[in-house]
Amino acid sequence: MRMLLPTLLLLATGTASATQAPIAMDDQSQLNVPGSQATPQFAPPSENDIPDNAFGKMVREGHALFVDTRRLMPEAVGNGMNCSNCHLDQGRLAHSAPLWGAYPMYPAYRKKNDKVNTFAERIQGCFQFSMNGKPPAADSPQMTALSVYAYWLSTKAPTGVEIAGRGYPEVPQPKGGYDFARGQQVYREQCAICHGDNGEGQKVAGEYVMPPLWGKDSYNWGAGMHRINTAASFIKHNMPLGKAGSLSDQQAWDVAAWVNRHERPQDPRLVEGSVEKTRLKFHANDGINLYGQKVEGVLIGQGSGN
């Protein structure tokens, strides 16, 4: 399992300490990927390989839901996100949590809900947290289509084997921690052109074409991307769009911290209306995150309005 540092220690300068011993996280979304820096050996099938039959029709339906989730599943999505915002190139791209790397690894235990999850249950978690919405039923037509699409992308992939390119390869926290001011500068220079000066994303004809990174239409405080270490790994290997790998490890951590110091929808697991109780139960040992911490005197995790 990937080794993650415990809850951060904020310094007066806005820089995190990296001196504490690491802890293990039993969470499938945080698995260390052996050989993740190597060229992936698995290639998913191409669109031309979709069969012209009932199965192929279901694959195409799943694909459509995956790339246009918010518009096609408004009852299940509570923000401005699509599945393809975190799983790039229609769920195909290595080092971007591709579906072909995830599907063959389920069923699997996840610490997040302390149970063995089916793949359908894993997708339901994405709807609840990353999409800030209402998970569709496991036996719903939409869930079936999304699962079939993932199954098809993993055609000929080994079962229960971590394939190179799976997940978001870990980017170790820099020795000096992270810095919000540096992160803000990186954001202005590298990210704002797509995601907006205030993380609001971009819309065309009322629909998001670039996802919001904070605020009411972004992922909520329960999503895996709220962890600074997870966001840094995604950013390092996938952003800026078209220039993956161009940021240093330090820049990736700095800008991830800057993004995740902003408010977003509340964690749906909120305990008795208390940020502190929720922090202790769900966030205190969940990688590097700011939930329930004070930054420049402001409590983080109060949630943005809907």
Side-chain angles (χ1 to χ4, degrees), residues 226-260:
H226 95 284
R227 293 184 293 253
I228 295 173
N229 53 291
T230 300
S233 296
F234 173 80
I235 291 166
K236 170 69 177 181
H237 293 281
N238 296 285
M239 294 289 133
L241 200 62
K243 298 192 295 182
S246 61
L247 299 181
S248 67
D249 291 0
Q250 183 70 69
Q251 287 175 314
W253 271 83
D254 289 344
V255 75
W258 171 251
V259 168
N260 281 329

Side-chain angles (χ1 to χ4, degrees), residues 11-262:
L11 303 181
T13 59
T15 301
S17 170
T19 60
Q20 296 176 322
I23 57 173
M25 293 298 295
D26 291 323
D27 186 329
Q28 285 291 312
S29 68
Q30 290 296 291
L31 279 176
N32 190 31
V33 185
S36 61
Q37 303 300 327
T39 301
Q41 299 299 307
F42 179 78
S46 70
E47 188 173 351
N48 293 333
D49 295 326
I50 299 177
D52 186 17
N53 55 23
F55 174 77
K57 181 175 182 292
M58 187 65 72
V59 171
R60 294 186 186 279
E61 289 177 4
H63 169 267
L65 293 172
F66 191 84
V67 300
D68 202 8
T69 324
R70 181 174 183 270
R71 189 177 66 85
L72 297 179
M73 299 180 67
E75 73 287 352
V77 178
N79 57 17
M81 310 293 283
N82 294 310
C83 299
S84 54
N85 291 143
C86 294
H87 312 273
L88 303 183
D89 191 19
Q90 307 163 71
R92 293 173 169 275
L93 187 65
H95 308 319
S96 182
L99 294 183
W100 47 259
Y103 186 89
M105 296 298 291
Y106 282 84
Y109 172 80
R110 298 190 74 221
K111 185 176 181 179
K112 190 164 191 171
N113 56 11
D114 192 27
K115 60 179 283 188
V116 173
N117 288 220
T118 64
F119 186 71
E121 288 174 317
R122 179 65 183 87
I123 297 177
Q124 287 177 321
C126 289
F127 277 99
Q128 182 180 13
F129 300 110
S130 295
M131 317 291 274
N132 192 40
K134 181 179 179 181
D139 60 351
S140 65
Q142 296 95 331
M143 187 66 73
T144 300
L146 287 167
S147 296
V148 168
Y149 178 57
Y151 168 82
W152 175 75
L153 280 179
S154 63
T155 300
K156 297 183 179 180
T159 300
V161 176
E162 292 187 39
I163 309 170
R166 179 188 189 275
Y168 306 135
E170 181 180 9
V171 177
Q173 186 178 28
K175 291 182 179 180
Y178 55 75
D179 182 87
F180 295 126
R182 290 196 307 256
Q184 182 181 26
Q185 186 64 27
V186 174
Y187 184 86
R188 286 172 175 169
E189 295 175 354
Q190 302 287 345
C191 313
I193 189 171
C194 289
H195 297 288
D197 292 338
N198 297 304
E200 71 275 19
Q202 288 191 45
K203 287 183 176 181
V204 172
E207 295 293 333
Y208 281 104
V209 293
M210 292 293 176
L213 299 185
W214 62 82
K216 66 182 181 64
D217 281 340
S218 190
Y219 52 88
N220 67 39
W221 280 114
M225 203 63 76
H226 95 284
R227 293 184 293 253
I228 295 173
N229 53 291
T230 300
S233 296
F234 173 80
I235 291 166
K236 170 69 177 181
H237 293 281
N238 296 285
M239 294 289 133
L241 200 62
K243 298 192 295 182
S246 61
L247 299 181
S248 67
D249 291 0
Q250 183 70 69
Q251 287 175 314
W253 271 83
D254 289 344
V255 75
W258 171 251
V259 168
N260 281 329
R261 67 158 292 174
H262 290 86

